[in-house]
Amino acid sequence: MHFKIESHINLQNEIQNITKKKLQTTLLEIQNQEYTLAKKVHQIRKMCKSHRGLLQIIKPILKEPTLYQTQNTFYREMAKLLAGSRETKVMLDMFELLIKNHTLPKDKFLDIEKSLKKQSHDENFSQQQINTKLEICKKNIQQEIQDLKHLKLNSDDLNSLKIGFQTTYKKAYKSIKKALEKSDIEEFHTFRKFAKYHMYHVNLLSKKSLFPKSREKELKKLTDILGIEHDLSLFETYLIENKKLFSNTKLLIPYLHKEQKRLRKTAHSLEKKLFKLGAKKITHYAII
């Protein structure tokens, strides 16, 4: 669902059309019989993040300022509604990643694997619950398409997006500096969120900017790495909370930390390249 601003004319229509296309694409994905429930959930959550990123760049020029909060809450809550159905898959994926990347003997961790697979199996019996949530999302999205006329801007000048672009980049820039300085996990999570929003903005403006084509790909790589690192943190929490049930938690966690360290090293090299300029300087590349 990559949609780009095509012209300098009638920015409001451009934003409304991009939003409508994203929502319509998601509706088709919900109804796609070839998609698994997990994929449908993933696509909805991805759309929610993308739209929250769009809201960041248009926030300063919304005709009705309160619309940002209501829309941001709407997409955040929709993503949260589906969060639980993704959690077990994430845990199982992280387990498999550690076994594969560190060539660990699976038989030493059979209790962990069995527990995760049982949870996954149990969730298959709650498909009706997931389908019910998907129906709620479907109706909400259909209503949102009907309400798009309320998405109005104060400016039709493409350059007016520079304020939202700069503000988002600045938040990512500041949060990564704090995260590296204090080793603050919350700041890392904040950075990941705003780095992803920045990636959406670079994509949105890719036909109207001076950014190299490689920037979006490198931002995707960075945010993907940070996403895995975050999922490993969730998996560690799961292991610690259930340590009495598993015999080799202490044996697995050091490998988890080793994997996080490797990912952070790669992420740091990308971050230094992608976020080396201050917010004012990077904005000069944003719109031509």
Side-chain angles (χ1 to χ4, degrees), residues 112-157:
I112 297 174
E113 184 182 26
K114 284 179 180 178
S115 176
L116 289 169
K117 285 189 172 178
K118 183 181 183 302
Q119 281 183 241
S120 181
H121 178 72
D122 290 346
E123 282 185 2
N124 288 334
F125 290 97
S126 63
Q127 284 188 3
Q128 186 55 49
Q129 290 181 333
I130 299 173
N131 278 318
T132 299
K133 290 177 180 180
L134 288 174
E135 277 300 311
I136 292 170
C137 290
K138 180 180 170 182
K139 289 177 182 177
N140 286 343
I141 291 169
Q142 288 169 334
Q143 185 60 52
E144 192 65 17
I145 291 171
Q146 295 298 315
D147 292 341
L148 273 177
K149 59 183 180 292
H150 299 303
L151 185 59
K152 295 181 180 179
L153 307 179
N154 279 324
S155 172
D156 256 336
D157 183 0

mmCIF file of all heavy atoms in Angstrom, residues 112-157:
data_model
loop_
_atom_site.group_PDB
_atom_site.id
_atom_site.type_symbol
_atom_site.label_atom_id
_atom_site.label_comp_id
_atom_site.label_asym_id
_atom_site.label_seq_id
_atom_site.Cartn_x
_atom_site.Cartn_y
_atom_site.Cartn_z
ATOM 1 N N ILE A 112 9.417 -25.125 25.705
ATOM 2 C CA ILE A 112 9.058 -23.785 25.214
ATOM 3 C C ILE A 112 8.308 -23.905 23.894
ATOM 4 O O ILE A 112 7.254 -23.281 23.696
ATOM 5 C CB ILE A 112 10.318 -22.912 25.032
ATOM 6 C CG1 ILE A 112 11.011 -22.696 26.387
ATOM 7 C CG2 ILE A 112 9.964 -21.565 24.398
ATOM 8 C CD1 ILE A 112 12.344 -21.976 26.298
ATOM 9 N N GLU A 113 8.857 -24.714 22.972
ATOM 10 C CA GLU A 113 8.230 -24.879 21.655
ATOM 11 C C GLU A 113 6.819 -25.456 21.781
ATOM 12 O O GLU A 113 5.882 -24.975 21.139
ATOM 13 C CB GLU A 113 9.087 -25.799 20.784
ATOM 14 C CG GLU A 113 8.539 -25.946 19.368
ATOM 15 C CD GLU A 113 9.363 -26.895 18.520
ATOM 16 O OE1 GLU A 113 10.012 -27.785 19.094
ATOM 17 O OE2 GLU A 113 9.349 -26.756 17.286
ATOM 18 N N LYS A 114 6.661 -26.487 22.625
ATOM 19 C CA LYS A 114 5.353 -27.115 22.798
ATOM 20 C C LYS A 114 4.332 -26.131 23.368
ATOM 21 O O LYS A 114 3.173 -26.100 22.961
ATOM 22 C CB LYS A 114 5.469 -28.330 23.719
ATOM 23 C CG LYS A 114 6.081 -29.553 23.033
ATOM 24 C CD LYS A 114 6.184 -30.719 24.012
ATOM 25 C CE LYS A 114 6.801 -31.941 23.343
ATOM 26 N NZ LYS A 114 6.969 -33.076 24.283
ATOM 27 N N SER A 115 4.786 -25.319 24.320
ATOM 28 C CA SER A 115 3.893 -24.337 24.933
ATOM 29 C C SER A 115 3.418 -23.314 23.908
ATOM 30 O O SER A 115 2.228 -22.988 23.841
ATOM 31 C CB SER A 115 4.616 -23.628 26.079
ATOM 32 O OG SER A 115 3.802 -22.622 26.630
ATOM 33 N N LEU A 116 4.356 -22.819 23.083
ATOM 34 C CA LEU A 116 4.005 -21.825 22.063
ATOM 35 C C LEU A 116 3.096 -22.420 20.996
ATOM 36 O O LEU A 116 2.133 -21.780 20.558
ATOM 37 C CB LEU A 116 5.279 -21.270 21.418
ATOM 38 C CG LEU A 116 6.125 -20.345 22.300
ATOM 39 C CD1 LEU A 116 7.476 -20.075 21.656
ATOM 40 C CD2 LEU A 116 5.392 -19.036 22.571
ATOM 41 N N LYS A 117 3.381 -23.656 20.593
ATOM 42 C CA LYS A 117 2.560 -24.298 19.563
ATOM 43 C C LYS A 117 1.169 -24.621 20.094
ATOM 44 O O LYS A 117 0.182 -24.567 19.349
ATOM 45 C CB LYS A 117 3.250 -25.552 19.038
ATOM 46 C CG LYS A 117 4.417 -25.229 18.109
ATOM 47 C CD LYS A 117 4.967 -26.456 17.416
ATOM 48 C CE LYS A 117 5.994 -26.053 16.366
ATOM 49 N NZ LYS A 117 6.591 -27.221 15.682
ATOM 50 N N LYS A 118 1.095 -24.954 21.384
ATOM 51 C CA LYS A 118 -0.214 -25.220 21.984
ATOM 52 C C LYS A 118 -1.051 -23.943 21.996
ATOM 53 O O LYS A 118 -2.236 -23.956 21.684
ATOM 54 C CB LYS A 118 -0.056 -25.745 23.412
ATOM 55 C CG LYS A 118 -1.406 -26.109 24.063
ATOM 56 C CD LYS A 118 -1.232 -26.596 25.482
ATOM 57 C CE LYS A 118 -2.580 -27.015 26.078
ATOM 58 N NZ LYS A 118 -3.571 -25.919 26.064
ATOM 59 N N GLN A 119 -0.397 -22.821 22.353
ATOM 60 C CA GLN A 119 -1.105 -21.542 22.340
ATOM 61 C C GLN A 119 -1.596 -21.215 20.940
ATOM 62 O O GLN A 119 -2.718 -20.754 20.749
ATOM 63 C CB GLN A 119 -0.178 -20.422 22.826
ATOM 64 C CG GLN A 119 -0.028 -20.360 24.328
ATOM 65 C CD GLN A 119 0.835 -19.196 24.759
ATOM 66 O OE1 GLN A 119 1.876 -19.382 25.381
ATOM 67 N NE2 GLN A 119 0.432 -18.002 24.408
ATOM 68 N N SER A 120 -0.726 -21.477 19.959
ATOM 69 C CA SER A 120 -1.094 -21.224 18.567
ATOM 70 C C SER A 120 -2.259 -22.112 18.146
ATOM 71 O O SER A 120 -3.194 -21.668 17.477
ATOM 72 C CB SER A 120 0.119 -21.475 17.663
ATOM 73 O OG SER A 120 -0.209 -21.207 16.326
ATOM 74 N N HIS A 121 -2.210 -23.380 18.567
ATOM 75 C CA HIS A 121 -3.284 -24.329 18.252
ATOM 76 C C HIS A 121 -4.595 -23.894 18.918
ATOM 77 O O HIS A 121 -5.660 -23.919 18.295
ATOM 78 C CB HIS A 121 -2.896 -25.722 18.744
ATOM 79 C CG HIS A 121 -3.958 -26.758 18.498
ATOM 80 N ND1 HIS A 121 -4.239 -27.241 17.238
ATOM 81 C CD2 HIS A 121 -4.817 -27.394 19.351
ATOM 82 C CE1 HIS A 121 -5.216 -28.131 17.320
ATOM 83 N NE2 HIS A 121 -5.587 -28.241 18.586
ATOM 84 N N ASP A 122 -4.503 -23.477 20.183
ATOM 85 C CA ASP A 122 -5.695 -23.024 20.910
ATOM 86 C C ASP A 122 -6.327 -21.816 20.233
ATOM 87 O O ASP A 122 -7.554 -21.682 20.202
ATOM 88 C CB ASP A 122 -5.340 -22.671 22.358
ATOM 89 C CG ASP A 122 -5.008 -23.918 23.183
ATOM 90 O OD1 ASP A 122 -5.317 -25.030 22.714
ATOM 91 O OD2 ASP A 122 -4.421 -23.755 24.269
ATOM 92 N N GLU A 123 -5.458 -20.957 19.684
ATOM 93 C CA GLU A 123 -5.974 -19.748 19.035
ATOM 94 C C GLU A 123 -6.752 -20.085 17.771
ATOM 95 O O GLU A 123 -7.622 -19.333 17.342
ATOM 96 C CB GLU A 123 -4.825 -18.786 18.710
ATOM 97 C CG GLU A 123 -4.364 -18.013 19.931
ATOM 98 C CD GLU A 123 -3.302 -16.980 19.600
ATOM 99 O OE1 GLU A 123 -2.959 -16.836 18.413
ATOM 100 O OE2 GLU A 123 -2.832 -16.322 20.528
ATOM 101 N N ASN A 124 -6.423 -21.235 17.155
ATOM 102 C CA ASN A 124 -7.167 -21.646 15.964
ATOM 103 C C ASN A 124 -8.634 -21.897 16.290
ATOM 104 O O ASN A 124 -9.498 -21.796 15.427
ATOM 105 C CB ASN A 124 -6.547 -22.910 15.358
ATOM 106 C CG ASN A 124 -5.226 -22.622 14.685
ATOM 107 O OD1 ASN A 124 -4.986 -21.511 14.238
ATOM 108 N ND2 ASN A 124 -4.358 -23.620 14.611
ATOM 109 N N PHE A 125 -8.905 -22.242 17.554
ATOM 110 C CA PHE A 125 -10.278 -22.488 17.968
ATOM 111 C C PHE A 125 -11.004 -21.180 18.299
ATOM 112 O O PHE A 125 -12.188 -21.174 18.552
ATOM 113 C CB PHE A 125 -10.308 -23.435 19.177
ATOM 114 C CG PHE A 125 -9.909 -24.841 18.828
ATOM 115 C CD1 PHE A 125 -8.617 -25.276 19.048
ATOM 116 C CD2 PHE A 125 -10.808 -25.703 18.232
ATOM 117 C CE1 PHE A 125 -8.239 -26.574 18.711
ATOM 118 C CE2 PHE A 125 -10.449 -27.002 17.888
ATOM 119 C CZ PHE A 125 -9.149 -27.442 18.132
ATOM 120 N N SER A 126 -10.250 -20.082 18.319
ATOM 121 C CA SER A 126 -10.888 -18.783 18.578
ATOM 122 C C SER A 126 -10.937 -17.953 17.297
ATOM 123 O O SER A 126 -10.965 -16.735 17.335
ATOM 124 C CB SER A 126 -10.133 -18.024 19.666
ATOM 125 O OG SER A 126 -8.817 -17.726 19.252
ATOM 126 N N GLN A 127 -10.939 -18.669 16.154
ATOM 127 C CA GLN A 127 -11.007 -17.972 14.865
ATOM 128 C C GLN A 127 -12.259 -17.116 14.760
ATOM 129 O O GLN A 127 -12.240 -16.057 14.136
ATOM 130 C CB GLN A 127 -10.969 -18.984 13.718
ATOM 131 C CG GLN A 127 -9.588 -19.569 13.457
ATOM 132 C CD GLN A 127 -9.559 -20.411 12.197
ATOM 133 O OE1 GLN A 127 -10.552 -20.508 11.485
ATOM 134 N NE2 GLN A 127 -8.429 -21.009 11.927
ATOM 135 N N GLN A 128 -13.333 -17.602 15.362
ATOM 136 C CA GLN A 128 -14.578 -16.845 15.319
ATOM 137 C C GLN A 128 -14.408 -15.477 15.975
ATOM 138 O O GLN A 128 -14.935 -14.473 15.492
ATOM 139 C CB GLN A 128 -15.707 -17.618 16.003
ATOM 140 C CG GLN A 128 -17.083 -16.964 15.867
ATOM 141 C CD GLN A 128 -17.475 -16.689 14.430
ATOM 142 O OE1 GLN A 128 -17.379 -17.559 13.578
ATOM 143 N NE2 GLN A 128 -17.893 -15.458 14.136
ATOM 144 N N GLN A 129 -13.640 -15.444 17.067
ATOM 145 C CA GLN A 129 -13.378 -14.165 17.745
ATOM 146 C C GLN A 129 -12.598 -13.219 16.835
ATOM 147 O O GLN A 129 -12.886 -12.024 16.767
ATOM 148 C CB GLN A 129 -12.594 -14.407 19.037
ATOM 149 C CG GLN A 129 -13.406 -15.080 20.127
ATOM 150 C CD GLN A 129 -12.600 -15.275 21.402
ATOM 151 O OE1 GLN A 129 -11.373 -15.377 21.363
ATOM 152 N NE2 GLN A 129 -13.273 -15.333 22.526
ATOM 153 N N ILE A 130 -11.593 -13.780 16.147
ATOM 154 C CA ILE A 130 -10.796 -12.955 15.231
ATOM 155 C C ILE A 130 -11.668 -12.455 14.085
ATOM 156 O O ILE A 130 -11.613 -11.290 13.698
ATOM 157 C CB ILE A 130 -9.588 -13.740 14.689
ATOM 158 C CG1 ILE A 130 -8.668 -14.159 15.837
ATOM 159 C CG2 ILE A 130 -8.802 -12.897 13.677
ATOM 160 C CD1 ILE A 130 -7.538 -15.085 15.440
ATOM 161 N N ASN A 131 -12.505 -13.353 13.550
ATOM 162 C CA ASN A 131 -13.404 -12.955 12.456
ATOM 163 C C ASN A 131 -14.375 -11.866 12.901
ATOM 164 O O ASN A 131 -14.700 -10.956 12.135
ATOM 165 C CB ASN A 131 -14.181 -14.174 11.937
ATOM 166 C CG ASN A 131 -13.373 -14.999 10.954
ATOM 167 O OD1 ASN A 131 -12.691 -14.454 10.092
ATOM 168 N ND2 ASN A 131 -13.439 -16.312 11.073
ATOM 169 N N THR A 132 -14.825 -11.964 14.146
ATOM 170 C CA THR A 132 -15.716 -10.933 14.688
ATOM 171 C C THR A 132 -14.998 -9.584 14.741
ATOM 172 O O THR A 132 -15.565 -8.547 14.376
ATOM 173 C CB THR A 132 -16.197 -11.330 16.106
ATOM 174 O OG1 THR A 132 -16.916 -12.554 16.031
ATOM 175 C CG2 THR A 132 -17.091 -10.245 16.699
ATOM 176 N N LYS A 133 -13.730 -9.617 15.179
ATOM 177 C CA LYS A 133 -12.938 -8.383 15.233
ATOM 178 C C LYS A 133 -12.676 -7.825 13.836
ATOM 179 O O LYS A 133 -12.686 -6.613 13.630
ATOM 180 C CB LYS A 133 -11.615 -8.644 15.953
ATOM 181 C CG LYS A 133 -11.776 -8.904 17.447
ATOM 182 C CD LYS A 133 -10.451 -9.224 18.112
ATOM 183 C CE LYS A 133 -10.641 -9.486 19.604
ATOM 184 N NZ LYS A 133 -9.361 -9.810 20.272
ATOM 185 N N LEU A 134 -12.450 -8.727 12.881
ATOM 186 C CA LEU A 134 -12.247 -8.293 11.494
ATOM 187 C C LEU A 134 -13.510 -7.626 10.945
ATOM 188 O O LEU A 134 -13.430 -6.648 10.193
ATOM 189 C CB LEU A 134 -11.847 -9.474 10.613
ATOM 190 C CG LEU A 134 -10.428 -10.023 10.813
ATOM 191 C CD1 LEU A 134 -10.222 -11.293 9.990
ATOM 192 C CD2 LEU A 134 -9.371 -8.991 10.456
ATOM 193 N N GLU A 135 -14.674 -8.162 11.330
ATOM 194 C CA GLU A 135 -15.936 -7.562 10.892
ATOM 195 C C GLU A 135 -16.106 -6.166 11.478
ATOM 196 O O GLU A 135 -16.607 -5.249 10.807
ATOM 197 C CB GLU A 135 -17.119 -8.453 11.298
ATOM 198 C CG GLU A 135 -17.398 -9.593 10.342
ATOM 199 C CD GLU A 135 -17.722 -9.109 8.930
ATOM 200 O OE1 GLU A 135 -18.579 -8.211 8.784
ATOM 201 O OE2 GLU A 135 -17.112 -9.627 7.978
ATOM 202 N N ILE A 136 -15.705 -6.004 12.744
ATOM 203 C CA ILE A 136 -15.763 -4.681 13.384
ATOM 204 C C ILE A 136 -14.867 -3.708 12.614
ATOM 205 O O ILE A 136 -15.267 -2.575 12.309
ATOM 206 C CB ILE A 136 -15.322 -4.769 14.858
ATOM 207 C CG1 ILE A 136 -16.341 -5.558 15.672
ATOM 208 C CG2 ILE A 136 -15.131 -3.373 15.460
ATOM 209 C CD1 ILE A 136 -15.888 -5.902 17.085
ATOM 210 N N CYS A 137 -13.649 -4.162 12.290
ATOM 211 C CA CYS A 137 -12.708 -3.324 11.540
ATOM 212 C C CYS A 137 -13.281 -2.965 10.165
ATOM 213 O O CYS A 137 -13.167 -1.822 9.711
ATOM 214 C CB CYS A 137 -11.375 -4.043 11.356
ATOM 215 S SG CYS A 137 -10.429 -4.230 12.879
ATOM 216 N N LYS A 138 -13.880 -3.946 9.527
ATOM 217 C CA LYS A 138 -14.471 -3.734 8.200
ATOM 218 C C LYS A 138 -15.532 -2.632 8.240
ATOM 219 O O LYS A 138 -15.538 -1.712 7.413
ATOM 220 C CB LYS A 138 -15.076 -5.050 7.707
ATOM 221 C CG LYS A 138 -15.718 -4.978 6.331
ATOM 222 C CD LYS A 138 -16.284 -6.350 5.962
ATOM 223 C CE LYS A 138 -17.148 -6.282 4.724
ATOM 224 N NZ LYS A 138 -17.740 -7.602 4.388
ATOM 225 N N LYS A 139 -16.422 -2.714 9.225
ATOM 226 C CA LYS A 139 -17.484 -1.710 9.351
ATOM 227 C C LYS A 139 -16.899 -0.333 9.680
ATOM 228 O O LYS A 139 -17.361 0.690 9.160
ATOM 229 C CB LYS A 139 -18.487 -2.134 10.429
ATOM 230 C CG LYS A 139 -19.353 -3.314 10.002
ATOM 231 C CD LYS A 139 -20.278 -3.765 11.120
ATOM 232 C CE LYS A 139 -21.091 -4.977 10.691
ATOM 233 N NZ LYS A 139 -21.964 -5.488 11.772
ATOM 234 N N ASN A 140 -15.887 -0.316 10.550
ATOM 235 C CA ASN A 140 -15.241 0.953 10.907
ATOM 236 C C ASN A 140 -14.570 1.593 9.695
ATOM 237 O O ASN A 140 -14.631 2.816 9.507
ATOM 238 C CB ASN A 140 -14.207 0.721 12.006
ATOM 239 C CG ASN A 140 -14.840 0.463 13.360
ATOM 240 O OD1 ASN A 140 -16.015 0.750 13.569
ATOM 241 N ND2 ASN A 140 -14.077 -0.105 14.270
ATOM 242 N N ILE A 141 -13.915 0.771 8.886
ATOM 243 C CA ILE A 141 -13.238 1.283 7.688
ATOM 244 C C ILE A 141 -14.255 1.803 6.679
ATOM 245 O O ILE A 141 -14.059 2.868 6.070
ATOM 246 C CB ILE A 141 -12.347 0.184 7.066
ATOM 247 C CG1 ILE A 141 -11.154 -0.101 7.979
ATOM 248 C CG2 ILE A 141 -11.856 0.588 5.676
ATOM 249 C CD1 ILE A 141 -10.359 -1.341 7.609
ATOM 250 N N GLN A 142 -15.349 1.069 6.506
ATOM 251 C CA GLN A 142 -16.399 1.520 5.579
ATOM 252 C C GLN A 142 -16.968 2.868 6.010
ATOM 253 O O GLN A 142 -17.212 3.753 5.177
ATOM 254 C CB GLN A 142 -17.519 0.469 5.508
ATOM 255 C CG GLN A 142 -17.116 -0.788 4.749
ATOM 256 C CD GLN A 142 -18.117 -1.922 4.893
ATOM 257 O OE1 GLN A 142 -18.857 -2.004 5.893
ATOM 258 N NE2 GLN A 142 -18.162 -2.814 3.914
ATOM 259 N N GLN A 143 -17.163 3.028 7.321
ATOM 260 C CA GLN A 143 -17.661 4.300 7.841
ATOM 261 C C GLN A 143 -16.636 5.406 7.643
ATOM 262 O O GLN A 143 -16.980 6.547 7.309
ATOM 263 C CB GLN A 143 -18.002 4.157 9.332
ATOM 264 C CG GLN A 143 -18.650 5.391 9.943
ATOM 265 C CD GLN A 143 -19.952 5.775 9.272
ATOM 266 O OE1 GLN A 143 -20.843 4.941 9.120
ATOM 267 N NE2 GLN A 143 -20.066 7.025 8.844
ATOM 268 N N GLU A 144 -15.374 5.061 7.829
ATOM 269 C CA GLU A 144 -14.298 6.042 7.665
ATOM 270 C C GLU A 144 -14.245 6.556 6.233
ATOM 271 O O GLU A 144 -14.019 7.741 5.992
ATOM 272 C CB GLU A 144 -12.954 5.399 8.052
ATOM 273 C CG GLU A 144 -11.810 6.375 8.212
ATOM 274 C CD GLU A 144 -12.003 7.353 9.361
ATOM 275 O OE1 GLU A 144 -12.845 7.112 10.256
ATOM 276 O OE2 GLU A 144 -11.307 8.383 9.349
ATOM 277 N N ILE A 145 -14.470 5.683 5.266
ATOM 278 C CA ILE A 145 -14.500 6.092 3.851
ATOM 279 C C ILE A 145 -15.640 7.086 3.625
ATOM 280 O O ILE A 145 -15.475 8.095 2.927
ATOM 281 C CB ILE A 145 -14.654 4.860 2.926
ATOM 282 C CG1 ILE A 145 -13.377 4.015 2.970
ATOM 283 C CG2 ILE A 145 -14.945 5.289 1.486
ATOM 284 C CD1 ILE A 145 -13.494 2.673 2.264
ATOM 285 N N GLN A 146 -16.784 6.824 4.254
ATOM 286 C CA GLN A 146 -17.932 7.725 4.123
ATOM 287 C C GLN A 146 -17.660 9.091 4.746
ATOM 288 O O GLN A 146 -18.188 10.118 4.283
ATOM 289 C CB GLN A 146 -19.173 7.105 4.793
ATOM 290 C CG GLN A 146 -19.678 5.829 4.154
ATOM 291 C CD GLN A 146 -20.127 6.029 2.715
ATOM 292 O OE1 GLN A 146 -20.822 6.979 2.393
ATOM 293 N NE2 GLN A 146 -19.691 5.121 1.843
ATOM 294 N N ASP A 147 -16.811 9.109 5.779
ATOM 295 C CA ASP A 147 -16.559 10.353 6.523
ATOM 296 C C ASP A 147 -15.349 11.145 6.006
ATOM 297 O O ASP A 147 -14.963 12.140 6.628
ATOM 298 C CB ASP A 147 -16.326 10.034 8.008
ATOM 299 C CG ASP A 147 -17.591 9.529 8.681
ATOM 300 O OD1 ASP A 147 -18.687 9.757 8.126
ATOM 301 O OD2 ASP A 147 -17.485 8.907 9.755
ATOM 302 N N LEU A 148 -14.760 10.718 4.896
ATOM 303 C CA LEU A 148 -13.530 11.361 4.409
ATOM 304 C C LEU A 148 -13.714 12.836 4.047
ATOM 305 O O LEU A 148 -12.749 13.591 4.022
ATOM 306 C CB LEU A 148 -12.987 10.605 3.182
ATOM 307 C CG LEU A 148 -12.067 9.432 3.484
ATOM 308 C CD1 LEU A 148 -11.664 8.725 2.203
ATOM 309 C CD2 LEU A 148 -10.831 9.895 4.232
ATOM 310 N N LYS A 149 -14.944 13.231 3.801
ATOM 311 C CA LYS A 149 -15.210 14.638 3.467
ATOM 312 C C LYS A 149 -14.820 15.562 4.608
ATOM 313 O O LYS A 149 -14.608 16.763 4.407
ATOM 314 C CB LYS A 149 -16.686 14.828 3.106
ATOM 315 C CG LYS A 149 -17.660 14.435 4.202
ATOM 316 C CD LYS A 149 -19.098 14.592 3.729
ATOM 317 C CE LYS A 149 -20.097 14.197 4.813
ATOM 318 N NZ LYS A 149 -20.064 12.743 5.100
ATOM 319 N N HIS A 150 -14.712 15.011 5.826
ATOM 320 C CA HIS A 150 -14.330 15.827 6.989
ATOM 321 C C HIS A 150 -12.818 16.062 7.053
ATOM 322 O O HIS A 150 -12.365 16.887 7.840
ATOM 323 C CB HIS A 150 -14.796 15.151 8.284
ATOM 324 C CG HIS A 150 -16.279 14.965 8.372
ATOM 325 N ND1 HIS A 150 -17.169 16.027 8.266
ATOM 326 C CD2 HIS A 150 -17.040 13.846 8.534
ATOM 327 C CE1 HIS A 150 -18.408 15.574 8.372
ATOM 328 N NE2 HIS A 150 -18.354 14.255 8.533
ATOM 329 N N LEU A 151 -12.066 15.336 6.232
ATOM 330 C CA LEU A 151 -10.613 15.487 6.225
ATOM 331 C C LEU A 151 -10.245 16.681 5.340
ATOM 332 O O LEU A 151 -9.993 16.553 4.152
ATOM 333 C CB LEU A 151 -9.948 14.201 5.707
ATOM 334 C CG LEU A 151 -8.417 14.140 5.740
ATOM 335 C CD1 LEU A 151 -7.887 14.315 7.158
ATOM 336 C CD2 LEU A 151 -7.935 12.805 5.185
ATOM 337 N N LYS A 152 -10.229 17.864 5.974
ATOM 338 C CA LYS A 152 -9.987 19.105 5.231
ATOM 339 C C LYS A 152 -8.725 19.797 5.728
ATOM 340 O O LYS A 152 -8.401 19.729 6.921
ATOM 341 C CB LYS A 152 -11.193 20.035 5.353
ATOM 342 C CG LYS A 152 -12.445 19.479 4.689
ATOM 343 C CD LYS A 152 -13.616 20.439 4.801
ATOM 344 C CE LYS A 152 -14.858 19.853 4.118
ATOM 345 N NZ LYS A 152 -16.026 20.765 4.225
ATOM 346 N N LEU A 153 -8.036 20.457 4.792
ATOM 347 C CA LEU A 153 -6.766 21.110 5.102
ATOM 348 C C LEU A 153 -6.884 22.619 4.972
ATOM 349 O O LEU A 153 -7.710 23.137 4.203
ATOM 350 C CB LEU A 153 -5.669 20.597 4.159
ATOM 351 C CG LEU A 153 -5.491 19.080 4.073
ATOM 352 C CD1 LEU A 153 -4.387 18.748 3.081
ATOM 353 C CD2 LEU A 153 -5.197 18.477 5.436
ATOM 354 N N ASN A 154 -6.029 23.330 5.698
ATOM 355 C CA ASN A 154 -5.986 24.797 5.627
ATOM 356 C C ASN A 154 -5.197 25.297 4.431
ATOM 357 O O ASN A 154 -5.270 26.474 4.086
ATOM 358 C CB ASN A 154 -5.337 25.370 6.890
ATOM 359 C CG ASN A 154 -6.325 25.432 8.037
ATOM 360 O OD1 ASN A 154 -7.500 25.703 7.823
ATOM 361 N ND2 ASN A 154 -5.860 25.149 9.236
ATOM 362 N N SER A 155 -4.420 24.419 3.811
ATOM 363 C CA SER A 155 -3.538 24.841 2.732
ATOM 364 C C SER A 155 -3.519 23.806 1.616
ATOM 365 O O SER A 155 -3.585 22.600 1.870
ATOM 366 C CB SER A 155 -2.114 25.037 3.262
ATOM 367 O OG SER A 155 -1.213 25.269 2.203
ATOM 368 N N ASP A 156 -3.435 24.296 0.381
ATOM 369 C CA ASP A 156 -3.277 23.417 -0.770
ATOM 370 C C ASP A 156 -1.855 23.462 -1.305
ATOM 371 O O ASP A 156 -1.555 22.895 -2.363
ATOM 372 C CB ASP A 156 -4.262 23.801 -1.881
ATOM 373 C CG ASP A 156 -5.434 22.820 -1.960
ATOM 374 O OD1 ASP A 156 -5.249 21.673 -1.521
ATOM 375 O OD2 ASP A 156 -6.510 23.193 -2.457
ATOM 376 N N ASP A 157 -0.981 24.148 -0.571
ATOM 377 C CA ASP A 157 0.422 24.276 -0.965
ATOM 378 C C ASP A 157 1.205 23.072 -0.457
ATOM 379 O O ASP A 157 1.249 22.813 0.751
ATOM 380 C CB ASP A 157 0.994 25.575 -0.384
ATOM 381 C CG ASP A 157 2.436 25.819 -0.807
ATOM 382 O OD1 ASP A 157 2.986 24.971 -1.557
ATOM 383 O OD2 ASP A 157 3.013 26.826 -0.383
#
